[in-house]
Amino acid sequence: MGKARTYLVFGALALIGAVSFGVVALNRGESVNAIWLVTAALCTYVVAYRFYARFIATKVLRLDALRPTPAVRRDDGLDYVPTPRNVLFGHHFAAIAGAGPLVGPVLAAQMGYLPGVIWILVGAVVAGAVQDMMVLFMSTRRDGKSLGDMIRNEMGPIPGVIAQIGVLMIMVIILAVLALVVVKALAESPWGAFTVAATIPIAIFMGLYTRYLRPGRVGEVSLIGVVLLVLAIIGGGHVATHPTLGPAFTLTGPTLAVAMMAYGFVASVIPVWLLLAPRDYLSTFLKIGAIAGLAVGILIVRPHIQMPAVTPFIDGTGPVFAGALFPFLFITIACGAVSGFHALISSGTTPKLLENESQIPLIGYGAMLCESFVAVMALIAATVLDPAVYFSMNSPVAVIGKDAASAAAAVAQWGFHIMPGELEQIARDVGEHSILSRAGGAPTLAVGMAHILSSVIGGKAMMAFWYHFAILFEALFILTTVDAGTRVCRFMVQDLLGLAVPKMRETQSWTANVAATALTVGLWGYFLYTGVVDPLGGINSLWPLFGIANQMLAAVALILGTVVLFKMKQQRYAWVTAVPTVWLLICTLTAGLQKLFHPDVRVGFLAHARQYQAALSDDRVLGPAKTAADMHRVIVNDYVNSALTAGFLFVVVVVTLYGVGACLKALRADGPTVREIPEAAHA
Amino acid sequence: MRDDLFCRCRDVAISWGKTAQRTANLMIGQPDYDAYVRHAASRHPDDPPMDRTAFFRLHEARRFGAGGGGFRCC
C-alpha cells in the first residue's frame, strides 16, 4: 500500500517534470516562462533524490546506520562533533556554494538556455551529486581522510603525489580566474570599486569588535556589518557622481589586478581575525541571503526567458567563449553540474561532523542538487535579459567595438536587435558608464538579478542599488575565496618546499610565511595579469582552463570512487561512478587537446603562438600588442598556458592508468581489499 | 487548551531558532559551544572547559590554519 502511494506520488512528479521539460525544450517562437524551468528542475531533483540517491545508498554503498561514524567514534567536542543533519546540510552547502555555478551558466548562455539547463540537471544527477556523495562516503569510512590521502592509500603513493601537485595547479588557476571575474566587474566602475573597497575598513572594524569589544559575538557584528555594507552601496552612488572622488575610484583593469595581488598578499599574511575571518562572516551570510533572495524573486516575478533555446553559436563561433558545444559547454558550466572541488570539501570537515551514515545521501547528494539549482537560477538571470544586451555585455571590444552604436550594429548581425540608446539607458539605470564588453559573468548576472529583484522591491529607481548589491555580493565572496585560497595554497607550497628546505615547513616562521605567500600570489597574479591585458578579455582563455582543471579533479575523484567500489567487491555497480568518469574523461581530454592543438587561433594556444611567431618574423605587430616585446609576451603566455594544459592532461592520464590497474588488481583478489576503518573499531 | 497550543508553537519556534543559529555558526566554522561543554563535562570532568571566547578564537584560528576548513569552493 505504502509502496503504491510512493509510486503514485513520484510518478505524478515525474510526469509534471516531463511536461515542464517538454514546454521548455519544444517551445519555439514565443518566450517561455522561467517557472517551467524551475518546475522541471525541482521535479528532476526530487525524483533523482528519492530513487537514484536511495539506490546508491542501499545497493551500491550499502550504508549502515549502525556503523559508528568518525564523529561518533572520535567525538572530541572540537573537530569531531556529531551534528544534527539539518545543521550539517547548511554547513556543507555553504562550503560548496561558490562563484563557479553563478558564472559558468551565465557564460554558457551564449549557446541558448536549453543546452545549459540540460547539462546542469543531467550532470548534477548522474555525475556531480554522485561524486559528492561517494567522496563523503569514502572519507566517512576512513576517519575523515582527505582526497589526497585516500588516493595514496587506495591507489598508491605515486598517483597520490601527482594528484596533490594537480590540486595545487588547479588552485592557482581558480584563484586567478576568480580574481579576474572581480577585476572585470570593478574596472571603470567607481560605484563598484568604492563599495568593495569599503568592505576592507568594515571588516577590520568587525575584526576589532569581535576581538576586543564583544569577543565572539558574530551574530550582532555581522548584522552591523550588513548595515554598513548597505550604507556603502548607497554611498557608492554618491561617490560615483562626485567630481573628484568619482575619477579617483575609476580604476583600470591592470591597476585593479595589482591592487588585488597586494591585497591578497596582505590579507593572508596578517592575523586572520583582523580581516579574513570577519569578511568571511559577511560573505557567507550575504551569499546565503542573496541566493535565497534570488529564488524568492524568480518565484514572485516569474520572468520570461528572452534568449533563444539554442543559438547558432553551438558551432563554436560565439563571442563569449571559443569552442564548440562539445566539449566546451560542459567545460564552461563546470561547477553547477559537477565540481571536482566538492571532493575536497566532502573529504574535509563534513565527514568529521556526520552523525550517521544514513545521512550521507542528504548531505552529499542533496546539497549538490541545491548547488545545481543555484546554477539554474544563474542561467535564468542571464537569459531573462534581452539577448542583444547579453551579447553586448559579454563580447570583447575586438568584436563589438567601443561604443553603443558599434555594439548594436554588431549584435544585429547575429540577429538580435536593439537601439544604441537602449544600451546606454540600461547603463544609466544600473549606475555605470557603460555595460559593453563586461565579460566575466558577474556584471551580466548582476543586471539579471537587478532586473528580477527591482521588480519585487523598488522598481526602476532601485535598479542601480540592486545591481551594485549583486556585484558586491559576488565580489565579496570571491575575494574571501581568493584570500582563504591563498592561505591554503601557501601551506601547500610550504609543504612542498619543505621537502627541499626543511625550514620552509615552519608555519610560524615569518620568513617562510612571507616567502611562500609571495610565491603563491605571484603564481596566480601572473595568470590574473595576463588575463586582464588579454585583448579578448582573458575570461576567453582562462575560464576554459579553469573548467578543464575542475572537471579533471572531478574525474580523479570519480576514478577513486570506482577503484573503491571494485575493492569493495561491488564492481557490478561500478557503472555508477565509471559512467560519469568516462564522460568527464572524454570531455576534458578532448577540450585539453583542442586547447593545445586546435588549428583555430581562438581555441588552440599553440596555433595562436604560431600566428604571433609568424607575424614577428615578418616584422609585423599584431594587435593588441604594440611592440615586438608585447608580441614576445603574448607568445610566452601561450606557451605557459599550453604547458599548464599539458600538465592537467598528464595528471588525469596517469591517475586513470593507475586507477585501471588498481581495479584489475582488486578484481583478481578473492575478497574485499578496501582500507576502511574496521566496523568493530569502537573508541 | 489555547495555552498549550501557544506553548507548543513557542517551543517549536525556539528550537528552530536554535537550529538556525547553530547552522549559521557552523557555516563560519564555529561548532556548537554547548555541545563542547557537555562533551568536556562527560569525558574530562576534572579539567575546566575553555570559556566561550577561547573556544571562539581557537576555531577562528583553525579555520584558516594549515589543514583548516577555511577553504571555500570556487
PDB file of all heavy atoms in Angstrom, chain A residues 75-76 79 91 95-96 100 211 218 273 280-281 341-342 487, chain B residues 26 28 39 43 56-57 60 62-66 71-74:
ATOM      1  N   ASP A  75      34.518  11.497  18.876  1.00  0.00           N
ATOM      2  CA  ASP A  75      33.919  12.729  19.404  1.00  0.00           C
ATOM      3  C   ASP A  75      34.879  13.442  20.364  1.00  0.00           C
ATOM      4  O   ASP A  75      35.208  12.911  21.419  1.00  0.00           O
ATOM      5  CB  ASP A  75      32.613  12.349  20.123  1.00  0.00           C
ATOM      6  CG  ASP A  75      31.889  13.585  20.643  1.00  0.00           C
ATOM      7  OD1 ASP A  75      32.391  14.705  20.409  1.00  0.00           O
ATOM      8  OD2 ASP A  75      30.829  13.425  21.265  1.00  0.00           O
ATOM      9  N   ASP A  76      35.355  14.621  19.987  1.00  0.00           N
ATOM     10  CA  ASP A  76      36.249  15.360  20.879  1.00  0.00           C
ATOM     11  C   ASP A  76      35.715  16.754  21.181  1.00  0.00           C
ATOM     12  O   ASP A  76      36.389  17.569  21.794  1.00  0.00           O
ATOM     13  CB  ASP A  76      37.660  15.452  20.286  1.00  0.00           C
ATOM     14  CG  ASP A  76      37.687  16.168  18.943  1.00  0.00           C
ATOM     15  OD1 ASP A  76      36.630  16.664  18.516  1.00  0.00           O
ATOM     16  OD2 ASP A  76      38.757  16.213  18.320  1.00  0.00           O
ATOM     17  N   ASP A  79      36.949  18.978  16.757  1.00  0.00           N
ATOM     18  CA  ASP A  79      36.999  18.654  15.331  1.00  0.00           C
ATOM     19  C   ASP A  79      35.937  17.636  14.950  1.00  0.00           C
ATOM     20  O   ASP A  79      35.308  17.736  13.910  1.00  0.00           O
ATOM     21  CB  ASP A  79      38.366  18.082  14.964  1.00  0.00           C
ATOM     22  CG  ASP A  79      39.417  19.158  14.928  1.00  0.00           C
ATOM     23  OD1 ASP A  79      39.045  20.306  14.621  1.00  0.00           O
ATOM     24  OD2 ASP A  79      40.576  18.870  15.229  1.00  0.00           O
ATOM     25  N   HIS A  91      25.822  23.774   6.668  1.00  0.00           N
ATOM     26  CA  HIS A  91      27.279  23.972   6.666  1.00  0.00           C
ATOM     27  C   HIS A  91      27.888  23.505   5.341  1.00  0.00           C
ATOM     28  O   HIS A  91      28.659  24.218   4.718  1.00  0.00           O
ATOM     29  CB  HIS A  91      27.893  23.197   7.823  1.00  0.00           C
ATOM     30  CG  HIS A  91      29.356  22.907   7.647  1.00  0.00           C
ATOM     31  ND1 HIS A  91      30.324  23.842   7.888  1.00  0.00           N
ATOM     32  CD2 HIS A  91      30.006  21.801   7.220  1.00  0.00           C
ATOM     33  CE1 HIS A  91      31.511  23.316   7.628  1.00  0.00           C
ATOM     34  NE2 HIS A  91      31.339  22.081   7.219  1.00  0.00           N
ATOM     35  N   ALA A  95      29.642  25.615   2.266  1.00  0.00           N
ATOM     36  CA  ALA A  95      31.038  25.390   1.894  1.00  0.00           C
ATOM     37  C   ALA A  95      31.184  25.102   0.400  1.00  0.00           C
ATOM     38  O   ALA A  95      32.187  25.479  -0.205  1.00  0.00           O
ATOM     39  CB  ALA A  95      31.632  24.242   2.707  1.00  0.00           C
ATOM     40  N   ILE A  96      30.196  24.430  -0.214  1.00  0.00           N
ATOM     41  CA  ILE A  96      30.364  24.098  -1.628  1.00  0.00           C
ATOM     42  C   ILE A  96      29.852  25.208  -2.556  1.00  0.00           C
ATOM     43  O   ILE A  96      30.255  25.273  -3.703  1.00  0.00           O
ATOM     44  CB  ILE A  96      29.699  22.749  -2.031  1.00  0.00           C
ATOM     45  CG1 ILE A  96      28.187  22.791  -1.881  1.00  0.00           C
ATOM     46  CG2 ILE A  96      30.308  21.593  -1.272  1.00  0.00           C
ATOM     47  CD1 ILE A  96      27.495  21.563  -2.471  1.00  0.00           C
ATOM     48  N   GLY A 100      31.526  29.695  -8.966  1.00  0.00           N
ATOM     49  CA  GLY A 100      31.517  28.870 -10.174  1.00  0.00           C
ATOM     50  C   GLY A 100      30.133  28.653 -10.759  1.00  0.00           C
ATOM     51  O   GLY A 100      29.898  28.948 -11.934  1.00  0.00           O
ATOM     52  N   ARG A 211      37.229  40.969  18.498  1.00  0.00           N
ATOM     53  CA  ARG A 211      38.444  40.647  19.241  1.00  0.00           C
ATOM     54  C   ARG A 211      38.425  41.313  20.617  1.00  0.00           C
ATOM     55  O   ARG A 211      38.714  40.686  21.623  1.00  0.00           O
ATOM     56  CB  ARG A 211      39.657  41.139  18.448  1.00  0.00           C
ATOM     57  CG  ARG A 211      40.989  40.648  18.986  1.00  0.00           C
ATOM     58  CD  ARG A 211      41.208  39.223  18.598  1.00  0.00           C
ATOM     59  NE  ARG A 211      42.419  38.661  19.175  1.00  0.00           N
ATOM     60  CZ  ARG A 211      42.787  37.416  18.984  1.00  0.00           C
ATOM     61  NH1 ARG A 211      42.046  36.614  18.255  1.00  0.00           N
ATOM     62  NH2 ARG A 211      43.891  36.954  19.533  1.00  0.00           N
ATOM     63  N   VAL A 218      29.457  36.992  16.918  1.00  0.00           N
ATOM     64  CA  VAL A 218      29.461  37.051  15.459  1.00  0.00           C
ATOM     65  C   VAL A 218      28.133  37.553  14.917  1.00  0.00           C
ATOM     66  O   VAL A 218      28.075  38.327  13.976  1.00  0.00           O
ATOM     67  CB  VAL A 218      29.763  35.663  14.864  1.00  0.00           C
ATOM     68  CG1 VAL A 218      29.795  35.736  13.367  1.00  0.00           C
ATOM     69  CG2 VAL A 218      31.074  35.147  15.387  1.00  0.00           C
ATOM     70  N   TRP A 273      42.055  37.104  12.299  1.00  0.00           N
ATOM     71  CA  TRP A 273      40.886  37.707  12.958  1.00  0.00           C
ATOM     72  C   TRP A 273      40.669  39.144  12.536  1.00  0.00           C
ATOM     73  O   TRP A 273      39.569  39.672  12.653  1.00  0.00           O
ATOM     74  CB  TRP A 273      41.007  37.628  14.491  1.00  0.00           C
ATOM     75  CG  TRP A 273      42.224  38.318  15.055  1.00  0.00           C
ATOM     76  CD1 TRP A 273      43.402  37.732  15.389  1.00  0.00           C
ATOM     77  CD2 TRP A 273      42.373  39.711  15.348  1.00  0.00           C
ATOM     78  NE1 TRP A 273      44.295  38.656  15.855  1.00  0.00           N
ATOM     79  CE2 TRP A 273      43.690  39.882  15.849  1.00  0.00           C
ATOM     80  CE3 TRP A 273      41.558  40.824  15.233  1.00  0.00           C
ATOM     81  CZ2 TRP A 273      44.187  41.131  16.235  1.00  0.00           C
ATOM     82  CZ3 TRP A 273      42.048  42.068  15.624  1.00  0.00           C
ATOM     83  CH2 TRP A 273      43.351  42.205  16.118  1.00  0.00           C
ATOM     84  N   ASP A 280      34.811  36.823   6.028  1.00  0.00           N
ATOM     85  CA  ASP A 280      34.226  35.507   5.808  1.00  0.00           C
ATOM     86  C   ASP A 280      32.790  35.466   6.344  1.00  0.00           C
ATOM     87  O   ASP A 280      31.884  34.943   5.686  1.00  0.00           O
ATOM     88  CB  ASP A 280      35.115  34.478   6.507  1.00  0.00           C
ATOM     89  CG  ASP A 280      34.628  33.062   6.312  1.00  0.00           C
ATOM     90  OD1 ASP A 280      34.030  32.796   5.263  1.00  0.00           O
ATOM     91  OD2 ASP A 280      34.846  32.240   7.206  1.00  0.00           O
ATOM     92  N   TYR A 281      32.564  36.055   7.541  1.00  0.00           N
ATOM     93  CA  TYR A 281      31.196  36.055   8.092  1.00  0.00           C
ATOM     94  C   TYR A 281      30.259  36.771   7.137  1.00  0.00           C
ATOM     95  O   TYR A 281      29.199  36.285   6.765  1.00  0.00           O
ATOM     96  CB  TYR A 281      31.106  36.767   9.451  1.00  0.00           C
ATOM     97  CG  TYR A 281      32.147  36.352  10.455  1.00  0.00           C
ATOM     98  CD1 TYR A 281      32.593  37.249  11.414  1.00  0.00           C
ATOM     99  CD2 TYR A 281      32.671  35.074  10.446  1.00  0.00           C
ATOM    100  CE1 TYR A 281      33.543  36.881  12.338  1.00  0.00           C
ATOM    101  CE2 TYR A 281      33.631  34.705  11.364  1.00  0.00           C
ATOM    102  CZ  TYR A 281      34.071  35.613  12.306  1.00  0.00           C
ATOM    103  OH  TYR A 281      35.015  35.257  13.197  1.00  0.00           O
ATOM    104  N   PHE A 341      36.018  20.331  -7.067  1.00  0.00           N
ATOM    105  CA  PHE A 341      36.370  20.928  -5.794  1.00  0.00           C
ATOM    106  C   PHE A 341      35.532  20.438  -4.634  1.00  0.00           C
ATOM    107  O   PHE A 341      35.962  20.454  -3.490  1.00  0.00           O
ATOM    108  CB  PHE A 341      36.341  22.444  -5.904  1.00  0.00           C
ATOM    109  CG  PHE A 341      37.705  22.929  -6.082  1.00  0.00           C
ATOM    110  CD1 PHE A 341      38.335  22.743  -7.289  1.00  0.00           C
ATOM    111  CD2 PHE A 341      38.420  23.438  -5.037  1.00  0.00           C
ATOM    112  CE1 PHE A 341      39.638  23.084  -7.457  1.00  0.00           C
ATOM    113  CE2 PHE A 341      39.728  23.795  -5.190  1.00  0.00           C
ATOM    114  CZ  PHE A 341      40.349  23.622  -6.410  1.00  0.00           C
ATOM    115  N   HIS A 342      34.326  20.003  -4.949  1.00  0.00           N
ATOM    116  CA  HIS A 342      33.491  19.477  -3.870  1.00  0.00           C
ATOM    117  C   HIS A 342      34.125  18.253  -3.224  1.00  0.00           C
ATOM    118  O   HIS A 342      33.852  17.935  -2.073  1.00  0.00           O
ATOM    119  CB  HIS A 342      32.107  19.112  -4.400  1.00  0.00           C
ATOM    120  CG  HIS A 342      31.359  20.297  -4.908  1.00  0.00           C
ATOM    121  ND1 HIS A 342      30.062  20.220  -5.344  1.00  0.00           N
ATOM    122  CD2 HIS A 342      31.721  21.578  -5.053  1.00  0.00           C
ATOM    123  CE1 HIS A 342      29.673  21.413  -5.737  1.00  0.00           C
ATOM    124  NE2 HIS A 342      30.667  22.248  -5.576  1.00  0.00           N
ATOM    125  N   ARG A 487      45.922  31.439   1.385  1.00  0.00           N
ATOM    126  CA  ARG A 487      46.478  30.831   2.603  1.00  0.00           C
ATOM    127  C   ARG A 487      46.616  29.320   2.446  1.00  0.00           C
ATOM    128  O   ARG A 487      47.638  28.745   2.820  1.00  0.00           O
ATOM    129  CB  ARG A 487      45.585  31.144   3.803  1.00  0.00           C
ATOM    130  CG  ARG A 487      45.954  32.430   4.495  1.00  0.00           C
ATOM    131  CD  ARG A 487      45.071  32.658   5.696  1.00  0.00           C
ATOM    132  NE  ARG A 487      45.518  31.911   6.861  1.00  0.00           N
ATOM    133  CZ  ARG A 487      46.431  32.344   7.719  1.00  0.00           C
ATOM    134  NH1 ARG A 487      46.995  33.514   7.527  1.00  0.00           N
ATOM    135  NH2 ARG A 487      46.776  31.622   8.757  1.00  0.00           N
TER     136      ARG A 487
ATOM    137  N   LEU B  26      28.023  27.247  12.321  1.00  0.00           N
ATOM    138  CA  LEU B  26      28.868  26.217  11.701  1.00  0.00           C
ATOM    139  C   LEU B  26      29.312  26.639  10.303  1.00  0.00           C
ATOM    140  O   LEU B  26      30.407  26.302   9.862  1.00  0.00           O
ATOM    141  CB  LEU B  26      28.119  24.876  11.650  1.00  0.00           C
ATOM    142  CG  LEU B  26      29.011  23.679  11.335  1.00  0.00           C
ATOM    143  CD1 LEU B  26      30.094  23.517  12.386  1.00  0.00           C
ATOM    144  CD2 LEU B  26      28.192  22.404  11.228  1.00  0.00           C
ATOM    145  N   ILE B  28      30.347  29.394   9.431  1.00  0.00           N
ATOM    146  CA  ILE B  28      31.575  30.187   9.509  1.00  0.00           C
ATOM    147  C   ILE B  28      32.611  29.494  10.382  1.00  0.00           C
ATOM    148  O   ILE B  28      33.535  30.110  10.902  1.00  0.00           O
ATOM    149  CB  ILE B  28      31.287  31.612  10.027  1.00  0.00           C
ATOM    150  CG1 ILE B  28      30.533  31.548  11.345  1.00  0.00           C
ATOM    151  CG2 ILE B  28      30.509  32.404   9.005  1.00  0.00           C
ATOM    152  CD1 ILE B  28      30.585  32.826  12.124  1.00  0.00           C
ATOM    153  N   HIS B  39      30.334  17.697  26.189  1.00  0.00           N
ATOM    154  CA  HIS B  39      31.356  16.691  25.918  1.00  0.00           C
ATOM    155  C   HIS B  39      32.457  16.757  26.973  1.00  0.00           C
ATOM    156  O   HIS B  39      32.862  15.745  27.542  1.00  0.00           O
ATOM    157  CB  HIS B  39      31.959  16.927  24.538  1.00  0.00           C
ATOM    158  CG  HIS B  39      33.202  16.134  24.281  1.00  0.00           C
ATOM    159  ND1 HIS B  39      33.166  14.874  23.756  1.00  0.00           N
ATOM    160  CD2 HIS B  39      34.522  16.409  24.511  1.00  0.00           C
ATOM    161  CE1 HIS B  39      34.405  14.409  23.673  1.00  0.00           C
ATOM    162  NE2 HIS B  39      35.241  15.323  24.122  1.00  0.00           N
ATOM    163  N   ARG B  43      33.500  13.684  29.437  1.00  0.00           N
ATOM    164  CA  ARG B  43      34.740  12.952  29.189  1.00  0.00           C
ATOM    165  C   ARG B  43      35.896  13.421  30.069  1.00  0.00           C
ATOM    166  O   ARG B  43      36.768  12.633  30.421  1.00  0.00           O
ATOM    167  CB  ARG B  43      35.152  13.108  27.714  1.00  0.00           C
ATOM    168  CG  ARG B  43      34.197  12.502  26.728  1.00  0.00           C
ATOM    169  CD  ARG B  43      34.437  11.009  26.573  1.00  0.00           C
ATOM    170  NE  ARG B  43      33.507  10.442  25.600  1.00  0.00           N
ATOM    171  CZ  ARG B  43      33.777  10.353  24.303  1.00  0.00           C
ATOM    172  NH1 ARG B  43      34.934  10.765  23.849  1.00  0.00           N
ATOM    173  NH2 ARG B  43      32.894   9.844  23.469  1.00  0.00           N
ATOM    174  N   PHE B  56      35.913  30.252  20.772  1.00  0.00           N
ATOM    175  CA  PHE B  56      35.711  31.007  19.533  1.00  0.00           C
ATOM    176  C   PHE B  56      37.036  31.250  18.828  1.00  0.00           C
ATOM    177  O   PHE B  56      37.189  31.014  17.637  1.00  0.00           O
ATOM    178  CB  PHE B  56      35.011  32.327  19.849  1.00  0.00           C
ATOM    179  CG  PHE B  56      34.918  33.258  18.679  1.00  0.00           C
ATOM    180  CD1 PHE B  56      33.945  33.073  17.710  1.00  0.00           C
ATOM    181  CD2 PHE B  56      35.809  34.318  18.533  1.00  0.00           C
ATOM    182  CE1 PHE B  56      33.854  33.925  16.621  1.00  0.00           C
ATOM    183  CE2 PHE B  56      35.724  35.173  17.451  1.00  0.00           C
ATOM    184  CZ  PHE B  56      34.748  34.975  16.499  1.00  0.00           C
ATOM    185  N   ARG B  57      38.018  31.719  19.598  1.00  0.00           N
ATOM    186  CA  ARG B  57      39.302  32.078  18.977  1.00  0.00           C
ATOM    187  C   ARG B  57      40.024  30.862  18.448  1.00  0.00           C
ATOM    188  O   ARG B  57      40.692  30.925  17.414  1.00  0.00           O
ATOM    189  CB  ARG B  57      40.174  32.824  19.984  1.00  0.00           C
ATOM    190  CG  ARG B  57      39.652  34.226  20.178  1.00  0.00           C
ATOM    191  CD  ARG B  57      40.532  35.069  21.016  1.00  0.00           C
ATOM    192  NE  ARG B  57      39.916  36.390  21.133  1.00  0.00           N
ATOM    193  CZ  ARG B  57      40.204  37.253  22.065  1.00  0.00           C
ATOM    194  NH1 ARG B  57      41.093  36.954  22.982  1.00  0.00           N
ATOM    195  NH2 ARG B  57      39.598  38.419  22.092  1.00  0.00           N
ATOM    196  N   GLU B  60      38.409  30.057  15.172  1.00  0.00           N
ATOM    197  CA  GLU B  60      38.705  31.107  14.200  1.00  0.00           C
ATOM    198  C   GLU B  60      40.104  30.886  13.619  1.00  0.00           C
ATOM    199  O   GLU B  60      40.304  30.940  12.406  1.00  0.00           O
ATOM    200  CB  GLU B  60      38.628  32.463  14.911  1.00  0.00           C
ATOM    201  CG  GLU B  60      38.744  33.657  14.007  1.00  0.00           C
ATOM    202  CD  GLU B  60      38.707  34.940  14.813  1.00  0.00           C
ATOM    203  OE1 GLU B  60      39.537  35.104  15.733  1.00  0.00           O
ATOM    204  OE2 GLU B  60      37.846  35.773  14.553  1.00  0.00           O
ATOM    205  N   ARG B  62      41.795  28.070  13.650  1.00  0.00           N
ATOM    206  CA  ARG B  62      41.879  26.785  12.953  1.00  0.00           C
ATOM    207  C   ARG B  62      41.323  26.840  11.550  1.00  0.00           C
ATOM    208  O   ARG B  62      41.826  26.195  10.651  1.00  0.00           O
ATOM    209  CB  ARG B  62      41.057  25.748  13.706  1.00  0.00           C
ATOM    210  CG  ARG B  62      41.842  25.072  14.739  1.00  0.00           C
ATOM    211  CD  ARG B  62      41.030  23.950  15.257  1.00  0.00           C
ATOM    212  NE  ARG B  62      41.698  23.428  16.412  1.00  0.00           N
ATOM    213  CZ  ARG B  62      41.506  22.222  16.872  1.00  0.00           C
ATOM    214  NH1 ARG B  62      40.633  21.436  16.287  1.00  0.00           N
ATOM    215  NH2 ARG B  62      42.151  21.812  17.909  1.00  0.00           N
ATOM    216  N   ARG B  63      40.240  27.602  11.393  1.00  0.00           N
ATOM    217  CA  ARG B  63      39.566  27.617  10.098  1.00  0.00           C
ATOM    218  C   ARG B  63      40.506  28.039   8.985  1.00  0.00           C
ATOM    219  O   ARG B  63      40.433  27.531   7.881  1.00  0.00           O
ATOM    220  CB  ARG B  63      38.381  28.571  10.171  1.00  0.00           C
ATOM    221  CG  ARG B  63      37.536  28.649   8.910  1.00  0.00           C
ATOM    222  CD  ARG B  63      36.242  29.307   9.272  1.00  0.00           C
ATOM    223  NE  ARG B  63      35.427  29.715   8.149  1.00  0.00           N
ATOM    224  CZ  ARG B  63      34.650  28.896   7.455  1.00  0.00           C
ATOM    225  NH1 ARG B  63      34.628  27.628   7.748  1.00  0.00           N
ATOM    226  NH2 ARG B  63      33.906  29.360   6.482  1.00  0.00           N
ATOM    227  N   PHE B  64      41.392  28.974   9.309  1.00  0.00           N
ATOM    228  CA  PHE B  64      42.303  29.462   8.267  1.00  0.00           C
ATOM    229  C   PHE B  64      43.729  28.986   8.500  1.00  0.00           C
ATOM    230  O   PHE B  64      44.657  29.495   7.910  1.00  0.00           O
ATOM    231  CB  PHE B  64      42.243  30.986   8.202  1.00  0.00           C
ATOM    232  CG  PHE B  64      40.881  31.485   7.849  1.00  0.00           C
ATOM    233  CD1 PHE B  64      40.039  32.001   8.820  1.00  0.00           C
ATOM    234  CD2 PHE B  64      40.428  31.409   6.552  1.00  0.00           C
ATOM    235  CE1 PHE B  64      38.774  32.435   8.492  1.00  0.00           C
ATOM    236  CE2 PHE B  64      39.166  31.842   6.228  1.00  0.00           C
ATOM    237  CZ  PHE B  64      38.338  32.362   7.192  1.00  0.00           C
ATOM    238  N   GLY B  65      43.909  28.012   9.414  1.00  0.00           N
ATOM    239  CA  GLY B  65      45.242  27.492   9.666  1.00  0.00           C
ATOM    240  C   GLY B  65      45.588  26.392   8.683  1.00  0.00           C
ATOM    241  O   GLY B  65      44.819  26.077   7.784  1.00  0.00           O
ATOM    242  N   ALA B  66      46.776  25.788   8.872  1.00  0.00           N
ATOM    243  CA  ALA B  66      47.175  24.684   7.998  1.00  0.00           C
ATOM    244  C   ALA B  66      46.179  23.548   8.160  1.00  0.00           C
ATOM    245  O   ALA B  66      45.857  23.141   9.267  1.00  0.00           O
ATOM    246  CB  ALA B  66      48.575  24.222   8.356  1.00  0.00           C
ATOM    247  N   PHE B  71      38.880  26.578   3.563  1.00  0.00           N
ATOM    248  CA  PHE B  71      38.872  26.558   2.117  1.00  0.00           C
ATOM    249  C   PHE B  71      37.450  26.570   1.581  1.00  0.00           C
ATOM    250  O   PHE B  71      36.607  25.802   2.017  1.00  0.00           O
ATOM    251  CB  PHE B  71      39.602  25.333   1.596  1.00  0.00           C
ATOM    252  CG  PHE B  71      39.506  25.264   0.134  1.00  0.00           C
ATOM    253  CD1 PHE B  71      40.164  26.197  -0.620  1.00  0.00           C
ATOM    254  CD2 PHE B  71      38.684  24.366  -0.480  1.00  0.00           C
ATOM    255  CE1 PHE B  71      40.021  26.202  -1.975  1.00  0.00           C
ATOM    256  CE2 PHE B  71      38.544  24.363  -1.834  1.00  0.00           C
ATOM    257  CZ  PHE B  71      39.212  25.276  -2.589  1.00  0.00           C
ATOM    258  N   ARG B  72      37.204  27.451   0.651  1.00  0.00           N
ATOM    259  CA  ARG B  72      35.876  27.559   0.070  1.00  0.00           C
ATOM    260  C   ARG B  72      35.923  27.111  -1.378  1.00  0.00           C
ATOM    261  O   ARG B  72      36.960  27.087  -2.017  1.00  0.00           O
ATOM    262  CB  ARG B  72      35.396  29.010   0.127  1.00  0.00           C
ATOM    263  CG  ARG B  72      33.984  29.150   0.636  1.00  0.00           C
ATOM    264  CD  ARG B  72      33.905  28.788   2.103  1.00  0.00           C
ATOM    265  NE  ARG B  72      35.116  29.161   2.797  1.00  0.00           N
ATOM    266  CZ  ARG B  72      35.451  30.396   3.035  1.00  0.00           C
ATOM    267  NH1 ARG B  72      34.690  31.371   2.669  1.00  0.00           N
ATOM    268  NH2 ARG B  72      36.560  30.669   3.669  1.00  0.00           N
ATOM    269  N   CYS B  73      34.789  26.767  -1.864  1.00  0.00           N
ATOM    270  CA  CYS B  73      34.713  26.276  -3.226  1.00  0.00           C
ATOM    271  C   CYS B  73      34.742  27.422  -4.238  1.00  0.00           C
ATOM    272  O   CYS B  73      34.481  28.557  -3.901  1.00  0.00           O
ATOM    273  CB  CYS B  73      33.440  25.498  -3.417  1.00  0.00           C
ATOM    274  SG  CYS B  73      33.803  23.920  -4.071  1.00  0.00           S
ATOM    275  N   CYS B  74      35.019  27.036  -5.440  1.00  0.00           N
ATOM    276  CA  CYS B  74      35.067  28.054  -6.481  1.00  0.00           C
ATOM    277  C   CYS B  74      33.656  28.398  -6.942  1.00  0.00           C
ATOM    278  O   CYS B  74      32.759  27.646  -6.770  1.00  0.00           O
ATOM    279  CB  CYS B  74      35.827  27.519  -7.657  1.00  0.00           C
ATOM    280  SG  CYS B  74      35.442  25.816  -7.975  1.00  0.00           S
TER     281      CYS B  74
END
